[in-house]
Amino acid sequence: MANIKELVKQKELFTGGHRACTGCGAVIVARQVLMVAGPNTVVAGATGCLEVVSTIFPYTAWNIPFIHSAFENAAATISGVEALYKSWVRQGKYNKKINFIAFGGDGGTYDIGLQSLSGAVERGHNILYVCYNNEAYMNTGVQRSGATPKGADTTTAPVGKVRKGKEQSRKNLTEIMIAHDMPYVAQSVAGNWRDLTSKVEKALSIEGPKFINVLQPCMLGWSYKPEITCQMGRLAVDACVWPLYEFVNGRYKITYKPKQKKPVSEWFSPQGRFRHLLKPENKQMLDEIQAQVDNFWENLLKKEAPAQNQ
Amino acid sequence: MAKTNIVARTGNEAMAEAMRQINPDVVAAYPITPATEIVQIFAGYVADGLVDTEFVPVESEHSAMSACIGASAAGGRIMTGTSSQGLALMAEMLYIASGLRLPIVMADVNRALSSPINIHCDHSDTMMVKDAGWIQIFSENAQEAYDNMIQAVRIAEEALLPVIVTTDGFIISHCMERIEIIDDKDVKNFVGEKKLGNYLLNVDKPITIGAMDLPDYYFEHKRQHIEAMIESKDIILSVAKEFSGLFGRSYGLFEVYRLEDADCAIVLMGSTVGTAKAVADNLREKGIKAGVLGLRVFRPFPKEEIAQALKNIKAIAVMDRSDSMNAQEGPVCLEVKASLFDDSASPNNVLNYIYGLGGREVRIEDIESVYKGLGEVIKGKSKNKITYLGVRE
């Protein structure tokens, strides 16, 4: 594993000058993934924040080959690139080793792109799919997605006089991907560079489909101060709302266990989207969410336990 | 003249055979009646190691075209096949493939669109994507389907535009015909090696494909795309000329049949061109000067050439195997009429017949009734501008 001094000395493959918001977590994810992947990498991006801010013609922030075609098909698009690679290698027309990476937001991954992702994984392409998960449709203006947590205020599930934000829990995409029985699945976070880069490195060393679900704080959609993006990522992990773990060779491994688990309210408090949940009249909802988080974390510890006993 | 082998093949088998000989780098496809056989037969070639192709059995037609786009942008020679609902599901990606100027070749077996669900032939699927910026080539029979697929590879790569080659569902796709197959090595030589420009797998020269185009650039890029469509007409003709010289079968933008001295003519596309030619022969024996214009290339639309070919015809019927749902006429008729109008000829003697939707049989008598209608126009009688041929009203 490269240390941070080595990583920052490399040529920037995702450059500055893009149009992302101040404090954007998505571009941190893209930059750190490419630091590990290196120049022999082809990236497909789903329509979304990352694609829009990085490729406004005639400029591009990508110093590696990049393709965007549509919203719901980053996995299918990169699978086509990888298929051509296999064909050319077999025909003796190409001999470099290439990493194939797709980036999609949570809308493009949990929702509209889930079929395409599932298909590409089932077909066994040698690809790494990275979901930069900011828990809503941020590019179109903070609409609820399948990744939006219960209670969050979004523009299509707003907090009103009667309703209190999103009424449903988010789907557990990481577990859905684990159910594909694929070689590598992980959760990581923008704000822990070591965790993300080491997972990308491990993923790229494995043949076959890989998936990393990266929680990516979004100052605009979550409504917090832009300078605390990375702290927000770490806080999510410390509150166990976003555990860092891997699923490799059929086994769970939690890659970070907080020494002192923080209450969910501490994770909520810097964020405008959860502000209403901290009001006394909504305490019951807060307690329910805390119970869900506790339950998920306990279950994850149990899932990991058999491996530790061996 | 190159050596050919005479065989019996269905339209689907002929198209699959062409794909085997073309030996594309990647085929990504999803099953749909009546096009399934094309990729099914092709998957057999892959399984037997007869081609170098990486076959990507995707989970939908949307992903099929997405994978084709990825593979084509990466630098490969890419083919696929679909029909009807599959083409509809792909529609979003068809515009993207052409806008990215990717020379993908697709077999489309024409089938009616739902609902009501129907698996038989009409042209509503292909007409739905007529403005998607793809070259569209129609085939009258299995031989043309085979020849068109081979020519399409050259056309696509020279024009940097994707090409749809269509057959009529079941009528061509499943009908066994006598066709002439070109030798493998001659097809290989004819299609040649794909020329590489900028491509994704060239990591030494990284490029961004599919960038965000705002109002300061989008219009110019679209204008270039439109110009490429216009210019592709000459490419189609030059490829056809080379093909004809090597293999003996002539192709143009359309086929004219007994049109030179005709009083009345039918303009149409696909398998019914053959029926119309047979009816024209019968009518000629009765002294009626009937002719046929069988359209091969619907996009780019050969407007000047069609206006020229029809300029002396007294009455014209355009037969559309789809309807534009309360447009002035069906899509082919609209194009033909507009072409005549632009050429200062009178478009007033053009009738439109909508026929054969959902696989409704088109009989000899139906075509005869079209010519009969044209005869009445020549005599000065007024006729309905649109007739729904063979429907129970």
Side-chain angles (χ1 to χ4, degrees):
Chain A
M1 179 64 218
N3 65 38
I4 198 158
K5 281 183 186 166
E6 289 162 2
L7 286 175
V8 295
K9 276 182 198 158
Q10 291 174 7
K11 185 188 169 193
E12 288 287 356
L13 299 176
F14 186 86
T15 70
H18 53 70
R19 322 284 179 93
C21 302
T22 311
C24 173
V27 291
I28 296 173
V29 175
R31 182 166 172 251
Q32 291 181 359
V33 169
L34 289 189
M35 275 178 174
V36 180
N40 284 1
T41 300
V42 180
V43 167
T47 310
C49 284
L50 181 61
E51 164 265 329
V52 169
V53 304
S54 63
T55 67
I56 295 178
F57 190 87
Y59 305 103
T60 182
W62 302 88
N63 265 333
I64 41 95
F66 175 88
I67 179 167
H68 157 254
S69 67
F71 192 6
E72 65 277 56
N73 65 351
T77 305
I78 200 71
S79 76
V81 178
E82 187 258 8
L84 178 72
Y85 172 81
K86 273 189 199 153
S87 176
W88 273 6
V89 168
R90 193 168 54 234
Q91 294 176 56
K93 291 180 178 174
Y94 198 85
N95 56 18
K96 286 194 169 74
K97 188 181 176 331
I98 301 291
N99 296 312
F100 299 97
I101 300 178
F103 285 102
D106 50 292
T109 308
Y110 278 67
D111 292 349
I112 198 168
L114 182 57
Q115 173 184 315
S116 161
L117 172 61
S118 177
V121 168
E122 183 272 333
R123 293 192 299 274
H125 294 280
N126 186 28
I127 57 174
L128 166 61
Y129 191 105
V130 177
C131 175
Y132 63 101
N133 174 8
N134 47 41
E135 302 193 318
Y137 290 85
M138 299 315 185
N139 189 42
T140 45
V142 201
Q143 289 79 36
R144 83 186 280 292
S145 78
T148 304
K150 189 175 182 173
D153 186 16
T154 60
T155 56
T156 48
V159 176
K161 285 178 182 152
V162 181
R163 301 191 183 224
K164 298 182 175 61
K166 191 183 172 195
E167 295 178 336
Q168 303 80 16
S169 298
R170 66 186 173 204
K171 71 170 89 162
N172 192 332
L173 181 63
T174 308
E175 291 295 318
I176 292 171
M177 297 322 293
I178 287 170
H180 282 71
D181 200 16
M182 56 196 289
Y184 186 84
V185 181
Q187 284 197 170
S188 188
V189 71
N192 187 337
W193 68 268
R194 189 186 296 277
D195 185 82
L196 179 58
T197 55
S198 54
K199 280 173 180 166
V200 171
E201 187 177 40
K202 186 185 271 188
L204 291 176
S205 72
I206 296 170
E207 185 75 15
K210 287 84 61 175
F211 176 80
I212 305 181
N213 196 347
V214 186
L215 185 74
Q216 176 249 299
C218 168
M219 67 92 187
L220 188 74
W222 296 9
S223 188
Y224 62 78
K225 291 175 187 162
E227 64 270 27
I228 62 166
T229 292
C230 290
Q231 286 99 303
M232 286 306 301
R234 293 191 287 269
L235 191 52
V237 176
D238 282 332
C240 293
V241 300
W242 193 259
L244 304 182
Y245 68 101
E246 291 175 322
F247 183 83
V248 201
N249 297 327
R251 295 189 193 285
Y252 284 83
K253 185 185 174 205
I254 300 171
T255 52
Y256 172 84
K257 285 175 188 160
K259 286 191 183 73
Q260 185 69 47
K261 189 172 160 217
K262 290 185 173 162
V264 168
S265 57
E266 202 170 314
W267 150 248
F268 283 175
S269 71
Q271 302 182 58
R273 64 174 176 156
F274 293 122
R275 189 174 294 125
H276 56 291
L277 295 180
L278 299 175
K279 290 180 181 168
E281 64 266 31
N282 291 329
K283 182 158 189 317
Q284 192 191 338
M285 201 165 169
L286 177 67
D287 290 344
E288 281 171 19
I289 292 169
Q290 181 68 61
Q292 275 183 5
V293 168
D294 293 344
N295 190 39
F296 183 82
W297 177 245
E298 293 303 320
N299 276 334
L300 192 62
L301 289 170
K302 280 182 206 156
K303 283 177 185 169
E304 189 195 36
Q308 283 191 334
N309 292 339
Q310 287 185 4
Chain B
M1 196 66 64
K3 186 174 150 244
T4 56
N5 310 307
I6 294 167
V7 295
R9 291 280 187 279
T10 66
N12 281 346
E13 288 166 355
M15 284 179 128
E17 182 83 358
M19 287 170 70
R20 180 187 64 74
Q21 295 180 309
I22 292 162
N23 192 17
D25 295 308
V26 173
V27 168
Y30 188 78
I32 184 165
T33 304
T36 310
E37 269 182 335
I38 298 172
V39 289
Q40 192 174 297
I41 295 165
F42 190 80
Y45 297 148
V46 174
D48 289 337
L50 299 176
V51 286
D52 298 313
T53 311
E54 184 70 18
F55 182 67
V56 189
V58 283
E59 83 299 331
S60 73
E61 288 90 351
H62 193 283
S63 285
M65 189 44 62
S66 300
C68 287
I69 286 170
S72 183
R77 178 173 278 162
I78 314 302
M79 300 182 87
T80 185
T82 192
S83 179
S84 183
Q85 305 307 120
L87 194 68
L89 188 59
M90 275 183 191
E92 179 194 28
M93 300 318 299
L94 296 185
Y95 278 77
I96 293 170
S98 67
L100 295 177
R101 307 289 304 276
L102 300 174
I104 298 161
V105 172
M106 172 160 62
D108 177 45
V109 181
N110 291 306
R111 165 185 150 182
L113 287 170
S114 292
S115 82
I117 189 168
N118 176 294
I119 56 168
H120 293 276
C121 174
D122 70 31
H123 296 168
S124 54
D125 52 356
T126 307
M127 289 298 105
M128 190 191 87
V129 298
K130 66 185 161 52
D131 300 327
W134 285 56
I135 291 169
Q136 294 192 339
I137 302 177
F138 281 73
S139 315
E140 185 191 319
N141 49 44
Q143 181 73 63
E144 290 194 8
Y146 170 81
D147 292 346
N148 284 337
M149 285 290 269
I150 292 166
Q151 292 175 64
V153 174
R154 288 277 304 276
I155 294 165
E157 291 173 14
E158 285 176 37
L160 283 180
L161 287 170
V163 180
I164 292 176
V165 175
T166 83
T167 63
D168 282 358
F170 292 103
I171 301 162
I172 300 175
S173 67
H174 286 62
C175 184
M176 187 74 78
E177 292 180 66
R178 169 202 179 277
I179 71 165
E180 294 180 15
I181 300 280
I182 304 164
D183 251 24
D184 286 2
K185 65 170 175 16
D186 292 329
V187 174
K188 191 178 174 186
N189 288 338
F190 183 78
V191 296
E193 282 283 314
K194 184 173 185 280
K195 289 188 188 73
L196 290 171
N198 293 317
Y199 58 102
L200 284 177
L201 278 182
N202 186 4
V203 288
D204 298 327
K205 193 186 171 194
I207 50 164
T208 287
I209 296 181
M212 178 82 179
D213 238 18
L214 293 174
D216 48 355
Y217 284 102
Y218 182 90
F219 204 174
E220 283 72 25
H221 286 145
K222 276 303 169 202
R223 181 69 188 83
Q224 289 172 4
H225 184 177
I226 294 160
E227 194 60 24
M229 284 297 281
I230 295 166
E231 288 175 2
S232 71
K233 210 157 67 172
D234 290 340
I235 295 170
I236 294 165
L237 289 172
S238 75
V239 169
K241 194 175 171 191
E242 190 183 327
F243 185 90
S244 165
L246 288 167
F247 310 118
R249 290 183 292 279
S250 298
Y251 290 93
L253 300 167
F254 49 80
E255 178 190 3
V256 289
Y257 187 77
R258 307 189 88 161
L259 205 60
E260 299 72 21
D261 63 337
D263 290 329
C264 52
I266 296 178
V267 179
L268 73 177
M269 313 191 286
S271 58
T272 317
V273 173
T275 319
K277 287 194 283 193
V279 172
D281 285 344
N282 292 343
L283 293 177
R284 286 273 175 173
E285 283 176 20
K286 292 174 189 166
I288 297 165
K289 289 183 173 174
V292 177
L293 189 151
L295 199 50
R296 174 178 178 241
V297 178
F298 184 70
R299 285 288 185 270
F301 192 79
K303 51 193 174 201
E304 297 89 358
E305 295 84 352
I306 282 191
Q308 183 65 24
L310 295 175
K311 70 177 179 191
N312 294 324
I313 310 294
K314 291 176 185 161
I316 298 156
V318 181
M319 291 182 65
D320 267 290
R321 203 159 192 163
S322 69
D323 193 35
S324 286
M325 293 288 168
N326 207 30
Q328 291 279 341
E329 283 106 4
V332 184
C333 188
L334 277 174
E335 299 282 2
V336 170
K337 255 189 161 176
S339 305
L340 294 173
F341 186 86
D342 283 352
D343 210 52
S344 335
S346 169
N348 292 326
N349 58 350
V350 179
L351 304 179
N352 188 200
Y353 288 82
I354 310 290
Y355 77 102
L357 300 195
R360 176 62 50 86
E361 194 76 31
V362 194
R363 301 161 305 160
I364 298 275
E365 304 87 81
D366 294 320
I367 308 274
E368 283 171 352
S369 78
V370 174
Y371 279 115
K372 196 176 162 206
L374 295 176
E376 289 169 8
V377 169
I378 292 168
K379 285 175 195 156
K381 288 185 189 166
S382 68
K383 286 284 297 174
N384 287 341
K385 286 291 175 191
I386 300 187
T387 304
Y388 292 88
L389 191 64
V391 73
R392 294 188 293 273
E393 299 273 9

